[in-house]
Amino acid sequence: MRVVLLALMIAMMLAMLDNMIIGTAMPTIVGELGGLEHLSWVVTSYTLATAASTPIWGKLGDLYGRKGVFLSSIVLFLIGSVLSGMAQDMGQLIAFRAVQGLGAGGLMVGVMAIIGDLIPPRERGRYQGMMAGVMALAMIGGPLVGGTITDHLGWRWTFYINLPLGAVALVAISAVLHLPKKRSEARIDYLGAALLTVGITAIVLVTTWGGTEYAWTSAVIMELIGIGVAALVGFVFWQTRAAEPILPLHIFRSLNFTLMSVIGFIVGFVMFGATLFLPLYQQSVQGASATNSGLLLLPMLGAMLVTSMVAGRVTTQTGRYKVFPLLGGALLVVGLYLLSLMDTETSRLTSGVYMAVVGLGMGCLMQITMLVAQNSVEMRDMGVASSSTTLFRTLGSSFGVAIMGALFNHRVQDVMAERAGALGSKVTEQSAQLDAASLAKLPVAAREAYQHAVSAGTHGAFLLGAAVAVVALVAAVFVKEVPLKGAGPQTEDAGTAEARAQVSGAV
């Protein structure tokens, strides 16, 4: 069991670490391959492929068995990694990153669904700390590892480093993991998959391009919104008629599952917004080094890790969990509001305390959302439940980065124009986010104006985050504390009981 869990955590790290590592290597990649105008697509193609494929991987696991589908996603991810490392121009790199993203879509879902198969929800809490630790390690260590590899081995090794880790996961899972084999005669819902892919792609492109590549009111953004809405409406309509739907709508009849989807969306919205703007604030306003940008998040991620471990142990020992969404929602609202109070005079100690409050809130919510979501469905829908929860968190992160980013950029440009006049407007006309080199070249007056502008931008972004987090708190109020499976005597339908018995025997 420990070997299987170690392999699953390695696979989870592969999915989370990749974008963190690549971010620090991007300047070097652009320097060698060119194509600066297409730079954003290196990340966007990966994100699009991951989001679009996530529900499909989950459904395939439900239909044909987790092990084979999960191993396939690892192999596809490694193929994408090798091809990305061999790319000769920016176009190839973007295409190969999409292949890598398709594999990544199955990694996180596979980890969550397999854990859901192997471990009853009552016992699953004790492993939350392990998953939170992997997440924290990826966020803190990713930029440091990426910078070190790029400086000493070259940027191509930021992709090749996935191979030994992936090989360990492949060998361990192939040899040790034993799950009951499935062979469904049901046909894959290709129309549903196509409609969902188009809908998700349009949404992610709107949140990625809106306010940056194109104005929010431009024809391109309006067309994408129309395509996305039409595709998702068509998808929902088709799912009520498909023989084996990609995303069976009956799982949303569970109030807890629906609430966890909402909370998961908001966690993604807040977390990725925070990880984007906190390092920017600390580098621009507090003068921190960009090299250690991952370490700047340590108060938040450390608090998240500790709280997640405590929440998991308490849940395992008592079988009770409603207190954690409630407490997490409240801490998230308070922590984000405190972050919105930061200005040019805020010390690193004070901002660290504020970040820790946010981390405590996220620690109460991160894994509990998946735990309760999985507990709300039958075993046969475990993959779909895992993929849906992951998808909502991914979409939340896209919306969070886009909306908080648009608010931040607008506020920075307004304050720069107010404080530095025409020079301020010229400084930020290309981007409201300046790197350390650009910031150092500014006149003192313009630099001070930019620091005030970033403070104002982060104030608006985090105040919006606090308002959005209120929705998570309200949703937590309506969570029903359904006994966790494995917490004591309970009735199960025959199929669920048989599947659980098969899994127990296999383990």
Side-chain angles (χ1 to χ4, degrees):
M1 192 67 164
R2 290 177 179 173
V3 174
V4 169
L5 286 172
L6 177 62
L8 292 176
M9 293 305 105
I10 290 174
M12 184 177 175
M13 182 176 289
L14 285 174
M16 297 203 62
L17 198 61
D18 197 72
N19 268 340
M20 298 290 177
I21 289 180
I22 300 307
T24 53
M26 287 310 300
T28 306
I29 294 174
V30 171
E32 181 173 328
L33 298 183
L36 178 62
E37 66 276 13
H38 303 304
L39 175 64
S40 63
W41 273 103
V42 176
V43 175
T44 301
S45 63
Y46 180 91
T47 305
L48 276 175
T50 301
S53 64
T54 292
I56 299 171
W57 284 112
K59 187 63 180 181
L60 289 174
D62 286 340
L63 289 176
Y64 302 112
R66 310 255 184 260
K67 181 176 178 178
V69 171
F70 185 55
L71 291 174
S72 299
S73 70
I74 296 176
V75 170
L76 185 59
F77 181 84
L78 295 181
I79 290 173
S81 298
V82 172
L83 292 174
S84 296
M86 297 169 63
Q88 299 301 307
D89 57 50
M90 191 61 78
Q92 290 183 8
L93 180 60
I94 291 169
F96 296 151
R97 282 280 286 166
V99 174
Q100 197 182 22
L102 289 174
L107 293 181
M108 189 70 75
V109 174
V111 170
M112 297 300 181
I114 290 172
I115 288 177
D117 272 353
L118 294 179
I119 305 168
R122 175 68 181 263
E123 302 298 320
R124 212 172 294 154
R126 70 176 62 177
Y127 299 101
Q128 288 180 3
M130 187 183 298
M131 290 184 278
V134 169
M135 188 173 296
L137 184 62
M139 289 185 173
I140 295 172
L144 298 176
V145 172
T148 302
I149 291 175
T150 303
D151 290 341
H152 294 90
L153 298 176
W155 67 265
R156 296 183 186 277
W157 278 95
T158 59
F159 295 105
Y160 295 150
I161 195 66
N162 294 327
L163 298 181
L165 291 173
V168 171
L170 274 176
V171 171
I173 291 171
S174 299
V176 180
L177 178 63
H178 303 290
L179 292 173
K181 294 183 179 180
K182 299 179 183 179
R183 182 61 189 174
S184 174
E185 298 301 322
R187 298 183 63 183
I188 297 174
D189 179 16
Y190 292 107
L191 178 58
L195 287 171
L196 184 60
T197 300
V198 171
I200 292 173
T201 299
I203 288 173
V204 174
L205 286 178
V206 167
T207 57
T208 303
W209 284 349
T212 54
E213 298 286 331
Y214 303 96
W216 285 104
T217 55
S218 67
V220 172
I221 297 299
M222 292 297 106
E223 289 170 3
L224 283 172
I225 291 174
I227 292 171
V229 170
L232 292 179
V233 169
F235 171 75
V236 172
F237 174 79
W238 176 248
Q239 293 306 279
T240 62
R241 287 159 173 73
E244 193 62 51
I246 286 288
L247 186 60
L249 300 182
H250 67 257
I251 62 176
F252 291 98
R253 293 174 190 162
S254 166
L255 177 63
N256 273 6
F257 182 85
T258 303
L259 292 173
M260 289 304 112
S261 299
V262 172
I263 293 174
F265 179 92
I266 292 169
V267 168
F269 188 105
V270 169
M271 184 175 73
F272 285 90
T275 55
L276 175 64
F277 295 111
L278 280 171
L280 179 63
Y281 168 83
Q282 292 189 308
Q283 291 170 35
S284 301
V285 179
Q286 296 181 329
S289 167
T291 307
N292 299 322
S293 57
L295 296 176
L296 300 174
L297 299 174
L298 190 57
M300 183 176 73
L301 298 174
M304 184 180 77
L305 172 59
V306 172
T307 312
S308 185
M309 293 177 67
V310 172
R313 288 185 177 276
V314 172
T315 302
T316 298
Q317 292 170 2
T318 65
R320 305 185 71 86
Y321 53 80
K322 181 171 180 176
V323 64
F324 295 112
L326 282 170
L327 184 60
L331 286 169
L332 212 53
V333 172
V334 172
L336 288 165
Y337 175 73
L338 290 174
L339 287 177
S340 75
L341 301 178
M342 295 189 303
D343 56 27
T344 55
E345 304 299 324
T346 304
S347 67
R348 291 192 191 182
L349 175 61
T350 302
S351 60
V353 172
Y354 294 168
M355 282 191 282
V357 176
V358 174
L360 292 173
M362 287 197 294
C364 290
L365 293 172
M366 284 294 296
Q367 304 304 331
I368 288 291
T369 53
M370 182 65 72
L371 174 65
V372 178
Q374 291 179 336
N375 189 59
S376 304
V377 301
E378 298 179 10
M379 286 285 288
R380 64 189 177 91
D381 291 324
M382 187 66 69
V384 168
S386 303
S387 64
S388 299
T389 307
T390 304
L391 174 63
F392 280 110
R393 189 179 296 174
T394 302
L395 293 178
S397 68
S398 295
F399 276 89
V401 169
I403 298 174
M404 292 173 76
L407 185 62
F408 173 86
N409 292 341
H410 180 72
R411 189 68 184 129
V412 167
Q413 288 170 347
D414 283 351
V415 173
M416 283 295 285
E418 291 173 8
R419 286 183 168 266
L423 175 60
S425 299
K426 185 177 181 180
V427 166
T428 57
E429 65 182 357
Q430 295 297 324
S431 174
Q433 301 178 28
L434 303 181
D435 57 26
S438 301
L439 194 58
K441 294 177 183 177
L442 293 178
V444 175
R447 191 182 311 130
E448 290 178 353
Y450 184 70
Q451 290 173 341
H452 283 281
V454 169
S455 295
T458 52
H459 168 76
F462 288 125
L463 200 57
L464 171 66
V468 171
V470 171
V471 179
L473 179 57
V474 173
V477 172
F478 294 97
V479 171
K480 294 181 179 179
E481 198 156 47
V482 179
L484 294 174
K485 296 167 185 174
Q490 60 182 4
T491 58
E492 289 181 327
D493 60 67
T496 302
E498 181 184 354
R500 200 177 292 284
Q502 286 180 322
V503 172
S504 299
V507 176

